[in-house]
Amino acid sequence: MLVQQSSALKDEIMRLKKEKDVVILAHNYQIPDVQDVADFTGDSLGLSRQAATVSQKTILFCGVNFMAETASIISPDKRVLIPDLEAGCSLSDSITVDELRDWKKQHPGAIAVGYVNTTAEIKAELDYCCTSSNAVNVVNAIPEDKEILFLPDMFLGSYVAKMTGRKNMHIWAGECHVHAGIRPEDVQEKLNSLKDAEFVIHPECSCTTPMMYDVADGSYDQNKVSILSTEGMLNHVHQSKSKNFVVATETGILYKMRQQNPGKTFIPASDKAECQYMKMITLEKVYDALVNEKNVVTVPKEIADKARLAINRMLEIS
């Protein structure tokens, strides 16, 4: 019965989005049903770029709040909706705009580099935005004698500092509750259970820190390791000749991996790696947002214009 209801709701969503000329974007961490009704799936930056190129004037962004804000900043002429305005982000919440301003005052002249997983207000205070896939390139593009304030993710920051060799990088002590919860012992247990497994890992994971030196050598206890963004993970596992993978990121990504690679096995590094905020988006909420055209995400022009500068610098370096 539930399957029938779900199928009928999907059909209705597909009809409505055509009728109302709405494009649906869904993050890789969304539940399978929501990914199924999306026109495009991807990581937050890829989806925001997609938002700027689509012909539709209304975007329904199935992800968390900062992602919809970024889409709105990149595409100011479009209307951006989100199925649930309460879908936040523990990493984005780990720094406030007042804390960032105070930090900048303590380090006059420093270059502020912020992960895309931040609010529009924070982005407006940054010199550069970055993603997990281009953070190393962004930091390398900054003159070596310049101090860097890197925020808000301490695990991504540690990884970038290690890969760039920067000694003048200050790292904010923020974390994503999902990635921080993936422990080295979880990973080891899963790797031991799967023969010849490749290990793909998101740089926000706390397990990257003790593993970094091994990973720099290209292995971890004889397992091939790749540190990648979610989009990088999807591309890598598709091209790899390996058959077995242990995946260290939010479990939502496994749906697409299995869909695209039916002959391969994917297991999560931790079964508990679920984002409660991503999972707030349901088919019912997608339908409701479409029918009522509600939950419009807007960013004040002054903030959007400043934030766009940092985002555009990131896009140029990508």
Side-chain angles (χ1 to χ4, degrees):
M1 186 66 183
L2 283 174
V3 174
Q4 284 179 325
Q5 285 176 335
S6 170
S7 178
L9 199 51
K10 282 181 188 175
D11 290 344
E12 190 59 11
I13 287 168
M14 300 303 249
R15 183 189 69 76
L16 274 169
K17 71 177 181 180
K18 283 191 178 71
E19 180 188 296
K20 290 175 173 263
D21 197 32
V22 176
V23 65
I24 299 181
L25 309 180
H27 192 273
N28 292 322
Y29 296 161
Q30 289 293 300
I31 61 170
D33 278 345
V34 170
Q35 292 191 42
D36 287 344
V37 296
D39 297 287
F40 301 98
T41 57
D43 62 14
S44 57
L45 181 66
L47 291 175
S48 291
R49 280 180 169 151
Q50 196 72 54
T53 63
V54 295
S55 60
Q56 293 92 337
K57 290 296 181 188
T58 300
I59 297 158
L60 181 54
F61 206 119
C62 299
V64 296
N65 227 305
F66 77 79
M67 297 177 184
E69 280 186 339
T70 305
S72 179
I73 291 164
I74 292 176
S75 307
D77 57 327
K78 295 183 179 172
R79 183 174 58 156
V80 179
L81 312 175
I82 190 169
D84 192 330
L85 285 167
E86 298 301 310
C89 170
S90 59
L91 178 55
S92 178
D93 288 346
S94 65
I95 186 166
T96 66
V97 71
D98 287 339
E99 286 172 330
L100 175 53
R101 285 172 184 151
D102 286 345
W103 201 29
K104 284 167 69 174
K105 278 179 194 164
Q106 290 163 30
H107 300 274
I111 303 294
V113 178
Y115 195 22
V116 76
N117 296 38
T118 46
T119 64
E121 269 196 320
I122 294 287
K123 288 184 178 77
E125 292 285 333
L126 300 175
D127 296 296
Y128 291 88
C129 260
C130 71
T131 67
S132 52
S133 56
N134 78 348
V136 170
N137 291 342
V138 168
V139 168
N140 277 333
I142 296 166
E144 283 185 27
D145 62 334
K146 285 283 187 184
E147 263 190 304
I148 292 175
L149 305 181
F150 190 94
L151 63 121
D153 189 86
M154 59 183 168
F155 302 114
L156 179 61
S158 299
Y159 171 71
V160 172
K162 163 70 179 156
M163 299 309 285
T164 60
R166 294 291 284 239
K167 303 289 184 237
N168 55 352
M169 207 168 130
H170 307 279
I171 300 166
W172 189 260
E175 63 180 29
C176 157
H177 76 284
V178 175
H179 287 107
I182 301 175
R183 305 164 305 163
E185 50 268 38
D186 297 327
V187 172
Q188 197 57 62
E189 185 185 321
K190 294 295 175 74
L191 287 173
N192 291 344
S193 73
L194 202 60
K195 191 169 180 281
D196 302 325
E198 259 198 71
F199 180 35
V200 289
I201 180 171
H202 196 284
E204 282 178 40
C205 292
S206 62
C207 54
T208 53
T209 310
M211 293 175 182
M212 235 172 251
Y213 292 97
D214 295 326
V215 170
D217 297 330
S219 67
Y220 179 73
D221 284 1
Q222 279 76 58
N223 292 88
K224 187 181 175 194
V225 176
S226 303
I227 296 182
L228 298 160
S229 65
T230 53
E231 219 46 30
M233 285 181 177
L234 286 163
N235 294 333
H236 176 79
V237 300
H238 190 62
Q239 292 161 7
S240 173
K241 290 186 167 50
S242 299
K243 293 292 183 194
N244 299 321
F245 298 86
V246 172
V247 182
T249 191
E250 212 272 353
T251 57
I253 202 170
L254 298 173
Y255 178 62
K256 199 168 175 184
M257 284 181 170
R258 289 165 182 155
Q259 254 188 341
Q260 293 177 343
N261 307 278
K264 298 179 180 180
T265 300
F266 301 94
I267 62 170
S270 169
D271 299 288
K272 295 175 184 170
E274 280 204 356
C275 175
Q276 71 210 51
Y277 300 109
M278 285 285 187
K279 296 330 189 217
M280 287 170 75
I281 310 296
T282 62
L283 268 186
E284 289 76 14
K285 288 177 183 176
V286 172
Y287 173 76
D288 190 31
L290 262 178
V291 169
N292 297 304
E293 299 181 30
K294 65 178 197 178
N295 299 341
V296 180
V297 175
T298 54
V299 179
K301 187 177 184 304
E302 187 186 344
I303 290 172
D305 288 347
K306 285 183 185 172
R308 200 175 295 114
L309 290 172
I311 292 168
N312 286 341
R313 283 178 184 150
M314 167 182 72
L315 296 175
E316 284 162 18
I317 291 171
S318 298

